[in-house]
Amino acid sequence: MAKTPYQRYNVCEPYLMARIKALRMPPAVIGVKLKDDKQVYSAVIDIPMGPNLLGTVVCLANGSVNIYFNNGATITNLSARHPSLAQTVRTFIASAGQSLPACERTSVFDIPLNASAHYAHIMTRKGVYKTVIDPFALDSSENGKMKAFLLHLYQNVMNEIKNAQAKDQAARNSN
């Protein structure tokens, strides 16, 4: 599959501020006491959603999830109204540590340069770990399997977000 030529995403200041805040959030802010160095308390996933749209999904160990878009739009507070979404987020965070061998520790928080590259940032007591996941180019190596597992976990979160939005829309339509 041919790669789409990179065109830098236009981003607004509120998006950049929310993204960097999420990437630098210490565990105490969400009330998490870490028991070991591989325990994950937060994940920030950058997902290209079109040639001009980049979404950043922020998942926290307490079940919260928000999506920030490069154009300033947001999706917030869904997990407060949808317990199944909060549980899916907690499962993602509890399981994400298994993918740490496929990640590298980083302090550089760049934005994806490729329309099919997802940047997964996993936060632990030892710092932020990052891996790049191309859903169209996963292989059967051990590293590829760990990336596929991580992709599966956050796709579950995205599916639950869609379900929560559909339930909210149905409730609005019935009023």
Side-chain angles (χ1 to χ4, degrees):
M1 178 174 195
K3 301 275 186 204
T4 308
Y6 168 70
Q7 293 182 9
R8 186 171 299 277
Y9 288 100
N10 289 323
V11 296
C12 64
E13 187 173 346
Y15 165 79
L16 289 174
M17 297 302 289
R19 184 175 180 274
I20 201 67
K21 181 179 177 185
L23 287 163
R24 293 188 174 158
M25 182 182 309
V29 170
I30 55 174
V32 174
K33 296 206 189 282
L34 301 175
K35 296 177 178 97
D36 67 61
D37 293 343
K38 294 184 180 181
Q39 184 180 354
V40 175
Y41 67 89
S42 179
V44 176
I45 315 294
D46 297 314
I47 305 172
M49 297 179 170
N52 299 312
L53 188 63
L54 176 66
T56 295
V57 183
V58 178
C59 297
L60 306 178
N62 65 8
S64 297
V65 60
N66 295 317
I67 304 177
Y68 303 98
F69 296 96
N70 62 308
N71 63 7
T74 61
I75 298 173
T76 60
N77 299 320
L78 281 176
S79 57
R81 294 186 309 278
H82 298 279
S84 62
L85 173 56
Q87 183 56 49
T88 301
V89 172
R90 285 191 291 273
T91 298
F92 167 41
I93 295 299
S95 302
Q98 295 175 51
S99 66
L100 284 174
C103 303
E104 292 183 17
R105 196 158 172 222
T106 189
S107 59
V108 176
F109 305 125
D110 51 340
I111 291 175
L113 301 176
N114 174 320
S116 65
H118 298 192
Y119 285 7
H121 300 88
I122 309 297
M123 273 59 93
T124 71
R125 180 164 62 187
K126 286 284 194 178
V128 179
Y129 291 80
K130 175 185 170 187
T131 190
V132 178
I133 300 172
D134 183 338
F136 304 108
L138 293 170
D139 59 39
S140 60
S141 69
E142 198 58 36
N143 195 41
K145 288 177 184 176
M146 283 185 255
K147 288 182 179 191
F149 176 67
L150 191 60
L151 174 65
H152 170 75
L153 290 172
Y154 68 78
Q155 282 182 330
N156 286 345
V157 171
M158 296 301 290
N159 287 335
E160 279 298 321
I161 289 170
K162 289 178 194 172
N163 290 341
Q165 289 178 308
K167 288 175 186 175
D168 285 354
Q169 185 63 46
R172 282 191 296 274
N173 291 345
S174 68
N175 290 334

